[in-house]
Amino acid sequence: MLQLNVEMLKRVQGDPCRFDFLAELPPFELQGKNLSFPGPVKASLVVNSTGSALAVEGEVSGKLSLTCDRCLEHFDYSFEVPIKENYTRSTEGGGDEVVSFAGDILDITPEVIKSIILSLPMKAICREDCRGLCPSCGCNLNKDRCDCGKEDTDLRLSVLKDLIEKSSK
Ligand SMILES: [Zn+2]
Ligand SMILES: [Zn+2]
């Protein structure tokens, strides 16, 4: 969980508070897929008390385990997302732009996961030159070689040969 102890910001106003730490993030679901973090994420945040609200700004970086859309292998996707969010104590009520919280612990996990989801590419590809799976036999062309492509050309050639033989008759 990405939690900030903002107790001291209750008393001191005006002085921004820096938070640099590593934290474990829980797995989350996206489009029916369960996504998890292979290790802790790094948070570098500054929290400013504006009197009525706490303004959190900074970035969170780390790795997310994804499945390649082409070869279906797992790979670590590196992300670095900006965080900019305003929080207000629940007793003061929140507006559209503000997330409310209670107590001295500010849990920014939901907003961070939202930012990570927004940063994800439309298609998750393990590497730019991923060769994917063979459409005929399903083998991973990054690791294995198959003869499917070869047979295709052989087949086309033999059809051509047949045509030539027929037309010459
Ligand atoms: Zn791949
Ligand atoms: Zn094949």
Side-chain angles (χ1 to χ4, degrees):
M1 291 296 196
L2 267 170
Q3 293 177 325
L4 313 175
N5 188 338
V6 291
E7 200 230 329
M8 55 226 222
L9 277 152
K10 225 166 26 177
R11 282 176 243 124
V12 195
Q13 237 180 61
D15 263 351
C17 214
R18 260 207 90 86
F19 293 89
D20 284 289
F21 60 100
L22 292 172
E24 300 279 348
L25 279 181
F28 61 94
E29 218 188 276
L30 183 66
Q31 291 160 353
K33 279 184 252 173
N34 235 337
L35 302 183
S36 61
F37 299 87
V41 300
K42 190 171 164 275
S44 305
L45 304 161
V46 173
V47 182
N48 253 304
S49 174
T50 61
S52 61
L54 292 176
V56 180
E57 228 182 305
E59 58 195 25
V60 172
S61 58
K63 288 193 168 91
L64 186 65
S65 286
L66 291 182
T67 308
C68 177
D69 282 336
R70 274 190 208 155
C71 68
L72 307 179
E73 291 284 316
H74 288 283
F75 70 101
D76 287 348
Y77 166 78
S78 298
F79 62 85
E80 188 177 314
V81 293
I83 304 296
K84 197 172 192 290
E85 206 75 48
N86 287 322
Y87 294 87
T88 183
R89 285 179 199 283
S90 48
T91 48
E92 290 151 6
D96 286 344
E97 311 267 295
V98 223
V99 184
S100 57
F101 74 102
D104 294 328
I105 303 294
L106 186 56
D107 188 353
I108 65 167
T109 312
E111 287 74 46
V112 169
I113 287 182
K114 234 182 271 171
S115 285
I116 294 170
I117 290 173
L118 285 175
S119 83
L120 292 178
M122 292 286 283
K123 267 199 171 297
I125 305 294
C126 64
R127 53 175 214 237
E128 237 171 79
D129 60 344
C130 171
R131 304 160 73 107
L133 301 178
C134 168
S136 305
C137 72
C139 78
N140 185 341
L141 296 174
N142 296 321
K143 294 177 185 166
D144 300 311
R145 256 181 218 173
C146 60
D147 293 324
C148 299
K150 236 189 256 166
E151 275 166 25
D152 267 3
T153 13
D154 286 351
L155 194 72
R156 256 177 272 145
L157 276 179
S158 68
V159 168
L160 201 67
K161 225 167 81 188
D162 280 357
L163 282 174
I164 293 167
E165 272 169 19
K166 268 180 205 158
S167 62
S168 64
K169 269 176 199 164

